[in-house]
Structure formats: structure tokens, C-alpha cells
Amino acid sequence: MKSIITLALTLALTTAGHLALADEIVDETTDTTAGGALGVSTGLMLGGAAGGPLGALVGAGVGLFVGQGLQTASGLEERAYAVRDANGAERVVRSPGAEFAIGQQVERRGARLQAASR
């Protein structure tokens, strides 16, 4: 009986503590990671073929900026959110499939956001 009470109390405190530590959406921003990745790989191959190892590095750097710029210009940017955690640290998290409002409480599950359960 004592172990059941202890388990119930532990679960209740864990759940309450988890809700108190929910992250908060601070700002909505855009993400061009996909365009940058495609640009880096293309620039790496073209630069490597044209200029060897040094050309590969320069090509990858140029490709990053060109890929991000092309994604922005074509309007294919993905949605991302600036999220503040319980310690006050902010980081940008991509969320292409879900929409959130500024000030909304969310939970991070891996690399994705979900609305905080109440």
C-alpha cells in the first residue's frame, strides 16, 4: 500500500513539474535549412570538380548562401519558431506541419513542437 501511494505521488509531482517547465513561443520566423543543404551539396560537387579540395570548400560556402537565397526568393521557406525554455534560453525550432500562436505553451518532442497538454 505504501509503495502505491509513493508511486501515485511521484507521478503527480512529475506531471505537475512537467507542465510548469513548458516552453513558450516567443516569435515566428522562417527556416531555409533545406535550400541551404541542397546548395551546400551542389556547391561542394561543382567546386570540387572545378578546383579540387579548396574549390570544394569555396563551392560549399557559396552554395549555402545561394541555396538559402533561392529558397527565400521562390517563397518555399518553412515555418520556424523562436522558443524560450524554463531557464530563459531561446532557440529556433522548425515546425513545418503545425502552427502555434506567440505566447502559447509548447513541449519539445525531439526536434518538433507540440502543444503543451494541460
Side-chain angles (χ1 to χ4, degrees):
M1 181 70 172
K2 188 175 185 181
S3 62
I4 293 174
I5 294 172
T6 304
L7 178 64
L9 181 62
T10 302
L11 289 174
L13 290 175
T14 302
T15 304
H18 185 64
L19 289 177
L21 296 177
D23 298 342
E24 180 182 1
I25 301 291
V26 178
D27 191 25
E28 184 174 342
T29 184
T30 58
D31 180 61
T32 56
T33 303
L38 183 62
V40 165
S41 61
T42 303
L44 180 75
M45 295 298 177
L46 293 175
L54 185 58
L57 291 175
V58 171
V62 170
L64 173 69
F65 294 111
V66 170
Q68 289 177 337
L70 285 174
Q71 186 176 3
T72 301
S74 63
L76 297 174
E77 299 165 319
E78 295 179 338
R79 186 175 26 256
Y81 294 97
V83 178
R84 182 181 303 131
D85 63 11
N87 297 328
E90 289 186 17
R91 70 191 300 201
V92 176
V93 181
R94 293 176 54 213
S95 182
E99 291 187 37
F100 301 101
I102 294 176
Q104 184 174 354
Q105 298 293 314
V106 293
E107 297 174 351
R108 268 186 272 179
R109 302 269 170 103
R112 297 288 182 232
L113 295 175
Q114 292 184 347
S117 56
R118 304 233 177 226

